[in-house]
Amino acid sequence: MNINNLIKTLTIEEKIGQLLQIAPFFFIQELEKEVSGNITDLGLTASKIFKAGSVLGIGNATEMIQVQKRYLEKSRHKIPLIFMADIIHGYQTIFPIPLALSTSWNPSLFHTMAKVSALEASTAGIHVTFAPMVDITRDPRWGRVVEGLGEDPYLNRIMTAQMVKGFQGDDLKKVGHLASCVKHFAAYGAVEAGRDYNTVDMSRTRLFNEYMQGYHAAIQAGARMIMTSFNVVDGVPATVNKHLLRTVLRETWKFDGVTISDYDSLHQIIEHGVAENDSEAAILGIKAGLDIEMASICYVNYLKTHIESGKVDMALLDEAVYRVLKLKDDLGLFEDPYKGASTLREQALVRCEDHLQKAKEAALESAVLLTNDGILPLSKNKKIGIIGPYAKTKQTNGPWSWHGRNDLNQTLEDSLKHLGVDILYVSDQKVESYTDEEINVLKQMDLLILALGENERESGEAHNRSDIKLPRHQEEYVSFAKRIMKPSIVVLYHGRPLDLTNILSANAILDAYFLGSMANQAIAELLTGIHNPSGKLTMTYPKSIGQVPLYYNHLNTGRPKVKGIDNEFTGYYLDIDNEPLFPFGHGLSYASFFYGQMRLDRHDLHFHETLKIEVDVTNTSEIDGHEIVQLYMRDLAASISRPVKELKGFQKHWIKSKETITYSFQLTPDDLGFSDEQGHLIIEPGRFQIMVGKDSEHVQSEIIRLHEEVKS
Ligand code: GLC
C-alpha cells in the first residue's frame, strides 16, 4: 500500500478522523458499553463517528465483524478501523498479574503469557494491546503497582522485551499476533503519595537512570505504539510534552511508531492548567507529537480550523496520519479488514486446556514464600480448616482481566481436595461471628489456612490505599489461630506489597497475589510441595507505610544510617528503623541452598574487556528446587551519586537435591555506566563493588577497578 498516495486522496476531515479513537458502541448503539467514563457522552455526529480511525475495546469476533462491516459500508475511503484493547496479563485465560509474574524472574513466562494472550485476543479481531505497562513502581499505595513489574529498571527492561516479542511475534501481518503499545510514557509510577494521576516531578537524570529503561526496551524490541501518561513531566502533561514525544522518542530513540494519548488525557490538560480549552489542547497535542487522541475530541473538533487558519501545519497532521496508516498496513488490515476475527478460532483457542496449563505453570513460579517455620509443605493426613474472607474465593484474576471468567476459576478447597488433602471446614465469615460450636470444630483441626488479602477492586487504576495493612481487621484471623493454639498458614490474595508486620506470628506466609485463572490449583500444589515455591519479590515490602518510598536501589545520602551504629545525626526515624520487612529479591524455597565464595576472573577491568563472575550454589536439602541468584553492582565514586546497589544480572536454575550448579555472569564497562540527563550512556573509570546473592540484602562482594579508556 502506498500510504503517501492514499493520504493525498483524503479530505482534511478524513485525515483528522484517523486520529480519533472511540468505543465500539458509537458504531453500533446496542453493543455492550465495555468502556465507561466520559466517552459515553462525547456528542459526536455520525459523520465524525464514521471517519474515526480506531476502536477502543471489542467484545468478540461477531461484534468486531459487525462494527467493521458497518463502518466500511459508510466510509468513503474504505480505510479499515484498527481495534485496540487492554490485554495486560491474558485475554480469557488469565495469567498472574504482572507484579506477580515478575517475581518468577523468568523472562520466558512473559513471552508465553504475551503469546497466548495474542492468540486468544486476535480471535476477537483485536489488533493492538495496550501493554506492556512498564512504569517503575516504588510506592505500594498506588493502585497500579498491580500491573507493573516492580521497582527495578534492569528486571523491568528484560521482562518488557519478552512481552513485546511475545505479543508481536515474527510478523505482524500474520493472524495470532498483536501490535504492542507500551505504556504509560513517562514515569507514571512515580505519582506523589501513591495517588493515581497525581504530580510526578523528578530530575531528568533520575528519569533516565531509573524510569525510562522499560519504555526504551519496548521500543528496541519493536513495540509499534506508545501511550502517554496522565501525569506531568517537568511540569508539562506527558500527552503534550514535546521533550518526551519529539526530542526523546523521535530524535534520541528514533521511534517511528504511533503515539496515543491515554483515555481522555488530551482533554485533561485543561484540568492540568496547560490549555484554556479543547481548541488549545488540539494545537498543543499535534505540535508535541501526539498522534491518536483516545476518548476525547479536541482534534476532531478543532484541528481543521487550526490548519485552515495556518496555526498548525498540514505536515504535522500528515505525519501523524502516515504513522497510523503505516501501522494498519503492517498489520495487513488493507488486505483483510476482518483480520483474526473468527468465532471458530475463538471456540478452539480461548481458554483452551493448553493455555490454562501454561497459565498454571506461570502461576506456580509467581508466588513467593515469605516465611516458613517448617510447617510447609503440608504433611499428609492433616485435618485442615480454611478460614478468612477469601476462603472460598474464585476472584483470582485480578485487575485488568476484562475478558477473564472468575466464575470458571476453582476454589482453594476444591484444589486441595483434588490433591487428596483433608479439608474439613471452610468459612469466610468474620472471627467475631464464629459460634462456640464452630470454634470447637476449628479446635479439632490440625492446622488452619488463613485466606487473607485484598479484593480485586482494592488495586488497579484509581484504586489507591493510604495504608497497606491487611484491610478490614484481617490480622484478627492470625491472633484467633494463636488463641486456639492452632498452627496457621497465611495465603495472601492481593495486588500490592502489604504491611505484614502484625501477622509474622503465623507459621508460614505464602504470597499468592492474583495468580489468574489457575491460581488456586497452583497454590494447592505449592502448599502440598508438589511444586516447590521459587518466587522472589520485585518490590520491597516495608514494615510501615511511614517508610515509603522504600526501595533497594536508593542513593546513600551524606549521612546514611548504618545498622548497629548509634549516630544521632544520620537519616532515620525516631519510631522505626530503615529496614524493610522483606527486601527486594526475598523469597524462600522448601529446599536450602548454600552459596560458595564468588569468583571474579579479574579485579582490573579495561574498556573492551568483559568481567566474568561465578558462584557455586549447592542444594543441601532433600528437595529439588529453583534458585534465583542476583548480581548487583555499586559505583563507589562517580560524577553523580549512584545507588547503593543496582541489579545487573540474574539467573534462575533448577538444582536437584545435593547437586551443585555454577552460576555465571558477565559485566562489561557499559553495564557499569549511567545516563546523563539526555539519556546518553556515561561510563566513568573508578572502583566498583560487585555483589552476588540470594536477595538484595544477603550478598557477598568484591571490589574491581575500571581503568581509563585508552584512546587508540
Ligand atoms: C485507562 C488506562 C490505560 C488503558 C486505557 C484504555 O485509563 O490508564 O492503561 O490502556 O485507559 O483502557
Side-chain angles (χ1 to χ4, degrees):
M1 169 64 66
N2 185 315
I3 307 291
N4 285 316
N5 287 345
L6 177 58
I7 290 175
K8 287 177 186 146
T9 68
L10 301 180
T11 65
I12 187 168
E13 291 87 348
E14 288 170 338
K15 289 180 184 178
I16 294 168
Q18 286 300 309
L19 307 187
L20 171 64
Q21 179 170 105
I22 50 180
F25 51 75
F26 278 87
F27 304 96
I28 298 182
Q29 290 298 326
E30 55 274 14
L31 286 188
E32 187 204 340
K33 287 186 172 25
E34 175 188 309
V35 179
S36 59
N38 308 356
I39 198 168
T40 50
D41 54 8
L42 287 176
L44 277 172
T45 61
S47 162
K48 288 175 177 174
I49 289 169
F50 285 92
K51 289 186 178 70
S54 58
V55 179
L56 167 57
I58 194 72
N60 53 47
T62 306
E63 279 192 18
M64 184 273 190
I65 293 165
Q66 275 183 316
V67 168
Q68 191 74 285
K69 187 168 179 297
R70 168 83 58 92
Y71 179 87
L72 291 174
E73 282 165 357
K74 290 180 174 276
S75 156
R76 183 192 69 83
H77 53 51
K78 306 299 178 202
I79 297 172
L81 289 164
I82 182 170
F83 288 75
M84 306 189 187
D86 294 289
I87 314 299
I88 310 297
H89 54 111
Y91 175 69
Q92 218 182 89
T93 302
I94 303 300
F95 282 70
I97 53 170
L99 180 63
L101 199 57
S102 68
T103 68
S104 71
W105 296 61
N106 182 345
S108 70
L109 293 180
F110 281 91
H111 190 277
T112 301
M113 177 278 287
K115 190 174 175 186
V116 166
S117 305
L119 275 173
E120 292 197 4
S122 63
T123 66
I126 294 168
H127 307 124
V128 175
T129 177
F130 296 130
M133 183 276 206
V134 302
D135 306 312
I136 290 290
T137 60
R138 292 170 164 171
D139 190 328
R141 292 172 292 183
W142 191 44
R144 302 195 75 164
V145 299
V146 68
E147 56 189 287
L149 303 168
E151 68 195 43
D152 181 74
Y154 177 85
L155 198 66
N156 183 301
R157 69 173 192 254
I158 299 284
M159 306 302 184
T160 295
Q162 288 307 314
M163 275 191 270
V164 171
K165 291 170 182 166
F167 284 129
Q168 299 196 156
D170 53 1
D171 180 356
L172 273 184
K173 273 195 193 286
K174 285 181 189 163
V175 168
H177 303 308
L178 296 176
S180 169
C181 176
V182 62
K183 68 188 184 185
H184 305 79
F185 192 57
Y188 181 29
V191 285
E192 286 178 358
R195 204 160 55 244
D196 210 351
Y197 318 121
N198 204 3
T199 304
V200 166
D201 195 17
M202 64 179 74
S203 69
R204 288 189 179 173
T205 301
R206 161 165 271 187
L207 183 69
F208 278 103
N209 278 296
E210 301 172 26
Y211 285 85
M212 294 286 256
Q213 298 182 35
Y215 314 111
H216 193 200
I219 286 167
Q220 288 175 312
R224 295 301 307 270
M225 289 184 66
I226 191 163
M227 181 187 294
T228 63
S229 55
F230 288 117
N231 55 283
V232 297
V233 176
D234 294 335
V236 178
T239 302
V240 294
N241 191 308
K242 196 178 281 186
H243 172 255
L244 288 179
L245 301 184
R246 291 197 184 278
T247 310
V248 175
L249 264 188
R250 305 295 183 194
E251 294 164 25
T252 308
W253 290 355
K254 309 298 181 206
F255 178 61
D256 62 2
V258 175
T259 59
I260 184 170
S261 77
D262 200 337
Y263 187 107
D264 187 45
S265 67
L266 182 58
H267 168 72
Q268 288 167 17
I269 71 168
I270 300 168
E271 285 296 337
H272 276 293
V274 165
E276 290 283 347
N277 47 47
D278 278 358
S279 173
E280 275 188 26
I283 295 172
L284 291 170
I286 199 75
K287 285 189 172 179
L290 178 70
D291 297 337
I292 297 178
E293 178 182 5
M294 180 198 294
S296 59
I297 49 177
C298 309
Y299 280 1
V300 75
N301 281 354
Y302 296 101
L303 263 190
K304 180 172 187 281
T305 309
H306 294 318
I307 288 171
E308 287 169 347
S309 69
K311 273 187 189 171
V312 170
D313 290 346
M314 177 70 86
L316 289 183
L317 174 61
D318 287 347
E319 77 169 59
V321 174
Y322 180 89
R323 289 189 283 258
V324 174
L325 297 181
K326 178 76 170 58
L327 178 59
K328 292 184 177 184
D329 190 29
D330 290 348
L331 279 163
L333 297 186
F334 289 104
E335 291 85 4
D336 176 8
Y338 304 95
K339 181 199 172 191
S342 158
T343 46
L344 282 179
R345 285 181 68 243
E346 267 175 343
Q347 286 151 13
L349 285 172
V350 172
R351 209 186 150 87
C352 65
E353 269 318 302
D354 174 53
H355 290 177
L356 288 170
Q357 181 56 28
K358 286 182 166 70
K360 181 178 149 190
E361 285 159 11
L364 286 167
E365 291 192 50
S366 303
V368 182
L369 184 60
L370 295 175
T371 64
N372 181 25
D373 68 358
I375 191 172
L376 288 176
L378 289 173
S379 313
K380 295 207 182 302
N381 309 320
K382 289 286 184 188
K383 297 197 295 299
I384 296 174
I386 306 176
I387 61 174
Y390 304 104
K392 301 177 179 175
T393 190
K394 292 184 170 184
Q395 311 298 314
T396 57
N397 288 347
W400 293 107
S401 54
W402 304 123
H403 295 270
R405 294 283 306 276
N406 273 322
D407 60 311
L408 299 180
N409 297 344
Q410 206 174 71
T411 63
L412 182 57
E413 174 190 5
D414 290 345
S415 302
L416 283 166
K417 281 181 174 173
H418 178 70
L419 299 177
V421 176
D422 226 358
I423 303 295
L424 298 180
Y425 179 86
V426 179
S427 160
D428 56 7
Q429 61 186 24
K430 291 185 182 350
V431 170
E432 61 265 23
S433 58
Y434 287 148
T435 62
D436 290 348
E437 186 198 349
E438 283 164 330
I439 290 173
N440 284 332
V441 169
L442 286 167
K443 283 180 177 174
Q444 309 310 312
M445 301 296 122
D446 294 318
L447 64 90
L448 298 176
I449 293 175
L450 313 182
L452 310 178
E454 298 174 318
N455 67 46
E456 284 182 316
R457 290 188 52 76
E458 287 176 303
S459 57
E461 183 173 353
H463 297 164
N464 319 298
R465 290 181 63 210
S466 68
D467 191 358
I468 55 170
K469 286 191 186 305
L470 286 167
R472 295 174 291 285
H473 313 296
Q474 292 177 56
E475 294 165 359
E476 286 177 12
Y477 287 95
V478 178
S479 327
F480 169 76
K482 275 280 166 266
R483 265 201 315 277
I484 65 169
M485 290 181 289
K486 286 298 160 194
S488 64
I489 297 160
V490 171
V491 174
L492 290 172
Y493 300 88
H494 64 108
R496 62 163 48 82
L498 295 171
D499 169 358
L500 303 172
T501 22
N502 295 339
I503 66 164
L504 296 179
S505 61
N507 299 78
I509 303 173
L510 179 68
D511 195 338
Y513 295 102
F514 290 117
L515 293 178
S517 301
M518 299 295 283
N520 283 323
Q521 291 92 326
I523 293 168
E525 289 195 15
L526 290 164
L527 291 174
T528 54
I530 292 172
H531 196 90
N532 187 355
S534 60
K536 296 201 174 186
L537 298 179
T538 55
M539 269 188 85
T540 300
Y541 279 39
K543 290 191 181 101
S544 156
I545 193 62
Q547 295 174 305
V548 167
L550 187 71
Y551 48 97
Y552 91 92
N553 42 358
H554 59 82
L555 303 186
N556 199 30
T557 81
R559 291 192 173 188
K561 175 67 183 164
V562 179
K563 268 193 284 188
I565 296 178
D566 188 11
N567 178 343
E568 185 180 355
F569 297 99
T570 52
Y572 65 100
Y573 302 98
L574 295 175
D575 53 357
I576 193 170
D577 62 33
N578 294 348
E579 310 311 315
L581 186 64
F582 300 114
F584 175 85
H586 170 78
L588 304 179
S589 168
Y590 296 146
S592 46
F593 300 105
F594 172 79
Y595 282 60
Q597 181 59 41
M598 71 189 281
R599 303 184 293 273
L600 275 58
D601 72 338
R602 69 194 72 208
H603 289 81
D604 289 286
L605 182 64
H606 299 85
F607 279 76
H608 315 303
E609 287 183 345
T610 298
L611 170 68
K612 293 182 179 59
I613 305 108
E614 288 186 342
V615 63
D616 294 338
V617 180
T618 303
N619 180 345
T620 56
S621 75
E622 302 301 323
I623 303 171
D624 300 349
H626 279 113
E627 176 62 347
I628 299 162
V629 175
Q630 299 136 53
L631 171 71
Y632 295 95
M633 167 292 273
R634 180 182 182 181
D635 185 344
L636 292 167
S639 51
I640 62 168
S641 181
R642 302 288 303 285
V644 295
K645 273 189 197 86
E646 294 179 71
L647 183 72
K648 290 294 177 182
F650 62 89
Q651 289 202 359
K652 179 174 189 177
H653 292 303
W654 181 258
I655 310 181
K656 288 188 172 54
S657 167
K658 309 304 182 196
E659 183 187 27
T660 296
I661 294 265
T662 298
Y663 286 69
S664 306
F665 303 91
Q666 296 190 351
L667 284 177
T668 67
D670 280 15
D671 298 320
L672 306 180
F674 58 94
S675 278
D676 67 8
E677 57 184 18
Q678 277 80 39
H680 301 125
L681 179 65
I682 307 290
I683 305 171
E684 295 177 343
R687 295 167 54 244
F688 294 80
Q689 217 174 344
I690 306 299
M691 297 160 268
V692 290
K694 63 178 183 177
D695 62 42
S696 57
E697 284 193 347
H698 300 83
V699 293
Q700 45 184 316
S701 76
E702 300 227 4
I703 301 292
I704 66 158
R705 176 174 292 281
L706 173 63
H707 291 268
E708 283 284 352
E709 183 171 16
V710 177
K711 303 285 184 193
S712 49

